[in-house]
């Protein structure tokens, strides 16, 4: 047997001796630290609503909304189990509230979105104003605003929660408080924020009431859908996205939340989309219709046929293609505002 190469020996001894001093050689890890392109640990993931719903209803029997504080089944990326993360930076969950229940008031640094998946008539209260939920509505809880949810109507109500929990954890910047009362006092009539900011007008004197977050609490589905439908009839269909719009903060024209971008798109019947990839991994909620998503990364291809209320994840820098024979509407969210703020957003549209 040959004696170990003296250089290799020298190096191994160096590593062992400096290890107790919390020192490690960059040259052993440089390639992994600065990869030639994004290499997310995140994998494509898919939740069929028919599979998830029975567990949600069982959760409804197992614990009250009040005891749970938030009765949510977390959608965990299969490659990030135990981290409460759907992508590296984002959290997603399905929250259930039953008639007569209250999810008590609290506030936190984390920003939240609600996208209503099933049922109507529950409310979320933000900063003294209640908003009634309908399927497809996109509702915002701005960072550090008091919020509680309740349900005084009929039938279960389920919504998708999207939060920047992993991102705020990464920055170690999270604060949270419980309110003294279960349900916050209603101080403004429903629709006040929409009247102020939701009609292409804005108050003359006031400034942004929620900082970098949109002052509109709810973006009703009926209006967003109407926009997509009209564009489908009257404008060329994008070969990658179909008809896709982003939700905006009316005061800035920018994103609705500083950390999370939100989108609604309609794939016309017969749409067979081209492939694209983005640095921002995205979570999708199927609102109406049916379709298929094909996600590829290197040699690996994942295909999912989707229908209403199904959820799926397209991870960072994975190529995705969407198609739909009968047409469909998709809501999605990602951390794109942060990529853009940092100047690192990248997108490729394949021909
Ligand atoms: O509704 O406030 O899914 O604080 C996770 C954390 C929902 C909420 C979640 C939360 C909430």
């Amino acid at each position: 047997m040959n004696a170990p190469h003296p250089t290799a020996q020298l190096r191994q001894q160096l590593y062992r001796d400096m290890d107790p001093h919390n020192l490690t050689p960059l040259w052993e890890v440089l390639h992994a630290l600065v990869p030639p392109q994004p290499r997310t640990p995140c994998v494509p993931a898919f939740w069929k609503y028919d599979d998830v719903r029975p567990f949600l209803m069982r959760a409804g029997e197992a614990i009250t909304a009040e005891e749970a504080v938030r009765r949510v089944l977390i959608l965990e990326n299969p490659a990030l189990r135990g981290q409460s993360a759907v992508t590296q930076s984002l959290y997603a969950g399905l929250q259930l509230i039953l008639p007569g229940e209250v999810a008590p008031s609290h506030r936190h640094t984390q920003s939240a979105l609600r996208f209503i998946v099933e049922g109507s008539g529950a409310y979320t209260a933000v900063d003294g104003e209640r908003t009634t939920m309908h399927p497809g509505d996109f509702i915002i809880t701005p960072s550090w605003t008091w919020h509680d949810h309740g349900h005084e109507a009929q039938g279960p109500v389920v919504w998708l929660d999207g939060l920047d929990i992993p991102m705020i954890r990464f920055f170690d910047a999270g604060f949270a408080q419980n309110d003294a009362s279960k349900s916050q006092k209603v101080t403004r009539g429903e629709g006040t924020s929409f009247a102020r900011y939701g009609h292409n007008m804005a108050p003359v004197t006031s400034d942004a009431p929620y900082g970098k977050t949109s002052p509109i609490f709810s973006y009703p589905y009926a209006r967003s859908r109407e926009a997509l439908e009209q564009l489908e009839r009257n404008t060329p269909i994008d070969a990658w996205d179909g008809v896709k719009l982003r939700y905006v903060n009316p005061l800035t024209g920018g994103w609705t939340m500083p950390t999370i971008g939100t989108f609604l798109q309609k794939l016309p019947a017969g749409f067979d989309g081209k492939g694209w990839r983005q640095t921002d991994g995205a979570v999708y909620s199927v609102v109406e219709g049916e379709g298929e998503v094909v996600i590829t990364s290197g040699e690996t291809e994942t295909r999912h046929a989707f229908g209403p209320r199904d959820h799926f994840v397209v991870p960072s820098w994975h190529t995705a293609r969407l198609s739909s024979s009968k047409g469909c509407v998709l809501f999605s969210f990602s951390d794109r505002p942060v990529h853009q703020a940092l100047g690192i957003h990248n997108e490729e549209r394949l021909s």
Side-chain angles (χ1 to χ4, degrees):
M1 240 179 58
N2 290 335
H5 193 280
T7 309
Q9 212 172 25
L10 200 71
R11 288 179 189 171
Q12 289 311 318
Q13 192 57 50
L14 169 64
Y15 301 168
R16 274 195 298 275
D17 292 347
M18 67 183 176
D19 182 69
H21 298 270
N22 305 311
L23 294 168
T24 203
L26 170 65
W27 57 88
E28 296 287 348
V29 294
L30 180 59
H31 190 71
L33 279 189
V34 189
Q37 56 178 13
R39 206 191 282 158
T40 181
C42 212
V43 294
F46 187 80
W47 291 268
K48 199 142 197 58
Y49 195 64
D50 287 347
D51 295 335
V52 174
R53 192 180 190 280
F55 295 117
L56 269 170
M57 296 308 138
R58 278 171 62 182
E61 288 164 12
I63 191 162
T64 64
E66 191 173 343
E67 193 187 351
V69 182
R70 297 294 183 262
R71 190 204 284 117
V72 179
L73 302 186
I74 303 173
L75 305 180
E76 284 199 318
N77 192 284
L80 306 174
R81 293 306 309 274
Q83 298 180 42
S84 303
V86 71
T87 67
Q88 290 266 77
S89 62
L90 296 170
Y91 159 104
L94 288 168
Q95 180 158 178
L96 167 69
I97 195 157
L98 295 168
E101 288 192 321
V102 167
S105 180
H106 69 187
R107 64 176 175 177
H108 38 70
T109 319
Q110 292 82 357
S111 297
L113 70 85
R114 331 283 172 188
F115 187 74
I116 315 312
V117 167
E118 176 185 344
S120 281
Y123 66 82
T124 187
V126 171
D127 195 27
E129 182 177 332
R130 286 185 178 178
T131 299
T132 304
M133 301 176 170
H134 315 91
D137 291 352
F138 158 52
I139 291 174
I140 297 176
T141 309
S143 173
W144 206 240
T145 49
W146 295 110
H147 54 285
D148 50 272
H149 317 298
H151 190 8
E152 292 162 359
Q154 305 306 309
V157 173
V158 176
W159 65 84
L160 172 68
D161 279 325
L163 287 92
D164 52 12
I165 287 173
M167 201 185 310
I168 301 303
R169 182 167 60 200
F170 175 81
F171 289 120
D172 289 331
F175 295 86
Q177 281 178 344
N178 290 320
D179 206 347
S181 61
K182 248 183 1 185
S183 299
Q184 66 183 279
K185 224 170 82 205
V186 175
T187 58
R188 277 181 276 144
E190 173 156 8
T192 303
S193 79
F194 201 77
R196 281 201 180 113
Y197 302 103
H199 295 280
N200 303 318
M201 303 182 88
V204 177
T205 53
S206 76
D207 52 7
Y210 305 105
K212 293 180 185 305
T213 304
S214 170
I216 295 182
F217 294 145
S218 177
Y219 293 73
Y221 183 59
R223 293 177 65 125
S224 310
R225 192 190 193 289
E226 168 63 25
L228 296 181
E229 229 172 32
Q230 188 144 346
L231 292 173
E232 181 183 342
R233 283 196 300 270
N234 297 326
T235 61
I237 304 302
D238 184 85
W240 293 268
D241 291 333
V243 180
K244 186 171 185 175
L245 294 174
R246 64 181 179 89
Y247 293 87
V248 298
N249 176 339
L251 294 179
T252 63
W255 301 100
T256 53
M257 287 173 280
T259 48
I260 308 178
T262 47
F263 308 85
L264 193 72
Q265 76 193 101
K266 192 165 186 296
L267 308 182
F271 184 75
D272 188 13
K274 294 181 177 178
W276 45 265
R277 53 183 178 173
Q278 306 267 1
T279 47
D280 50 322
V283 180
Y284 285 78
S285 181
V286 183
V287 195
E288 297 178 47
E290 283 155 22
E292 193 186 40
V293 57
V294 183
I295 304 170
T296 53
S297 173
E299 303 296 295
T300 317
E301 181 182 280
T302 319
R303 257 169 208 276
H304 288 293
F306 57 74
R309 301 166 177 161
D310 293 344
H311 292 83
F312 59 89
V313 176
V314 177
S316 164
W317 217 237
H318 283 50
T319 298
R321 275 187 291 124
L322 293 164
S323 60
S324 177
S325 53
K326 293 183 184 151
C328 64
V329 179
L330 306 173
F331 171 83
S332 57
F333 70 94
S334 81
D335 56 2
R336 191 174 308 176
V338 182
H339 291 233
Q340 291 187 338
L342 301 181
I344 54 166
H345 183 250
N346 204 344
E347 171 182 24
E348 231 175 54
R349 294 184 139 203
L350 311 177
S351 49

